[in-house]
Amino acid sequence: MFDGTLKKCIAPFSLLHPHECETPADDDDDAAVPALEHRPAQRAAQAAKKEDTATTSTAAPPTSGGSKRDRRDAKRAAEREKRARRESAAADAAAIAKAIAESEAAMAEDKVESLAPKMTNVDVMVYSGHKNDVFVCSWNPKYPVVATGSAVVWDAVSGECRQQFVFHESPVLDVDWKDDITFASCGADRAVFVCKVGNHEPIRSFVGHKGEINVLRWDPTATYLASCSDDCTAKIWTMESESPLWELVGHSRQIYSLRWAPATARRTSPLLATASFDGTARLWDAVSGACLHVLSAASSLPSLTTPSASDAAGTPGADVWAVAFSPDAALVATATVGRAVRVFRVADGTAVADADLTHFAGGIYDVAWSPAGSRLAVTLSGSN
């Protein structure tokens, strides 16, 4: 502990490592003052020691004069005063350290509490005026605008209807934004419309599915639009043509969901995953339209099968409702209504992990990776 005295450093000097000074051991009983973790406490103890040193120097008995007994009594009195001051400094330092610790604990508790959702006095804004049942909503990627079923675009701040698109003849089942002013919608009328806010007509219409269109998604580059249907097919569209770039055929039952793989440096072409009620998920190359792997989502048998997987069709609980890529696109997870979750390696379609959730009630209807790709979340119907 520094007291203002110049001391000699005995630590060796090196050009390879940071230098830390060391001083010879002090005969003084500084060890009586406890070492504390917090700097404010150390400063308090240092200040007390300086004051103690000054007081001792002024209160020290003269080296000459007076009786031997008087000098001994004066020295003892000075030592008692010095010890009392050190005890007081240690107590003050401990009190400061305790106050700091309590303050930090309170701040940490406030931070944790602030992360918890507060559902009191929540303002609810109701958007009314839809012409049909509402099954979907999608936030604009840039502005506080939300698109909902019936293809209605709302101002999320004012609650006003920006524009209503009345092209669909039946309920809209999905909506996905291409950019901040353009979105695509699909529905039970088997049609896909690409709409632009401010335009009164679709800028592109896609027709070709023979059943209800359940889901559509733009790829990460917003170049390809994929749609899947109850007609057991998925289609990939581009804005250059009203005809599909690819019709993806292979599933034997309805395709309920699809997802694009995140864009990564390891792939040169977009990768699409489809999930079907035939008990499988499939991985497709969007550029060539080729089926790369067929993933058996409900079976413990080897996951990489031939493109013909009709033997899985009709298996109780084998309907695949959800599929999701990991953030690095190295893995893909599937979930079935029979409460089976499987994780596959994208490179070769091999199953690397299985989770049996049959002890829960209901089925699994969605699955999602954590941002770090280390955890999977699933939703189960009939469970709390």
Side-chain angles (χ1 to χ4, degrees):
M1 187 174 292
F2 295 104
D3 58 3
T5 303
L6 182 63
K7 296 183 179 181
K8 179 180 180 181
C9 173
I10 63 174
F13 182 77
S14 171
L15 294 175
L16 301 179
H17 305 286
H19 183 75
E20 295 184 3
C21 290
E22 296 181 9
T23 57
D26 196 348
D27 294 335
D28 196 39
D29 55 346
D30 288 343
V33 181
L36 298 172
E37 181 178 358
H38 299 284
R39 291 185 180 275
Q42 292 177 351
R43 287 195 292 268
Q46 292 171 6
K49 179 171 176 59
K50 289 181 179 180
E51 182 180 356
D52 175 41
T53 302
T55 303
T56 302
S57 62
T58 56
T63 56
S64 60
S67 66
K68 185 176 181 181
R69 181 176 180 180
D70 291 341
R71 291 197 299 272
R72 184 174 62 250
D73 292 343
K75 183 177 181 181
R76 290 177 178 175
E79 290 176 350
R80 286 195 297 269
E81 183 179 359
K82 180 179 180 180
R83 185 166 49 252
R85 287 185 175 277
R86 285 184 174 167
E87 291 175 354
S88 176
D92 292 342
I96 293 174
K98 181 179 179 181
I100 293 175
E102 291 176 351
S103 176
E104 291 177 347
M107 291 174 64
E109 185 176 353
D110 291 342
K111 183 178 180 180
V112 172
E113 185 178 350
S114 67
L115 296 177
K118 300 180 183 301
M119 299 303 293
T120 59
N121 301 323
V122 175
D123 293 330
V124 177
M125 185 173 291
V126 179
Y127 305 138
S128 58
H130 295 91
K131 304 299 183 183
N132 223 321
D133 294 335
V134 181
F135 293 102
V136 66
C137 61
S138 178
W139 281 99
N140 184 285
K142 183 177 181 180
Y143 301 110
V145 171
V146 61
T148 60
S150 298
V152 182
V153 176
W154 303 87
D155 186 318
V157 177
S158 65
E160 298 178 354
C161 174
R162 286 281 191 90
Q163 190 171 354
Q164 184 165 13
F165 301 86
V166 291
F167 313 129
H168 287 284
E169 299 175 354
S170 57
V172 174
L173 300 181
D174 202 11
V175 173
D176 193 40
W177 289 90
K178 181 180 187 294
D179 52 43
D180 54 6
I181 58 173
T182 309
F183 67 91
S185 62
C186 66
D189 58 1
R190 309 175 183 179
V192 175
F193 295 111
V194 181
C195 305
K196 188 174 184 179
V197 177
N199 287 28
H200 298 288
E201 297 293 333
I203 60 175
R204 182 64 74 187
S205 301
F206 298 127
V207 179
H209 281 293
K210 298 178 175 60
E212 293 185 0
I213 304 175
N214 298 310
V215 175
L216 54 71
R217 287 290 184 276
W218 294 98
D219 82 297
T221 66
T223 302
Y224 301 100
L225 177 65
S227 60
C228 63
S229 168
D230 286 350
D231 64 8
C232 308
T233 71
K235 299 183 188 298
I236 297 178
W237 316 83
T238 66
M239 295 296 289
E240 282 71 31
S241 173
E242 292 186 350
S243 300
L245 176 66
W246 298 110
E247 182 175 11
L248 309 179
V249 179
H251 286 293
S252 59
R253 296 186 64 191
Q254 302 97 311
I255 304 176
Y256 184 76
S257 183
L258 56 78
R259 288 293 185 272
W260 290 98
T264 62
R266 69 180 64 183
R267 288 200 60 83
T268 57
S269 60
L271 182 66
L272 178 70
T274 55
S276 171
F277 289 176
D278 64 8
T280 69
R282 289 176 177 250
L283 302 183
W284 310 84
D285 187 300
V287 174
S288 66
C291 178
L292 303 178
H293 302 300
V294 180
L295 313 175
S296 181
S299 174
S300 60
L301 297 175
S303 60
L304 184 58
T305 67
T306 60
S308 177
S310 58
D311 56 336
T315 303
D319 297 356
V320 185
W321 285 76
V323 62
F325 285 96
S326 62
D328 61 0
L331 302 172
V332 62
T334 61
T336 72
V337 71
R339 301 180 297 284
V341 177
R342 303 199 81 190
V343 178
F344 302 85
R345 192 163 48 232
V346 170
D348 57 11
T350 302
V352 295
D354 291 89
D356 182 5
L357 304 180
T358 53
H359 54 286
F360 289 98
I364 300 176
Y365 292 100
D366 201 5
V367 59
W369 291 86
S370 65
S374 58
R375 295 173 181 266
L376 270 176
V378 300
T379 61
L380 295 110
S381 65
S383 299
N384 294 328

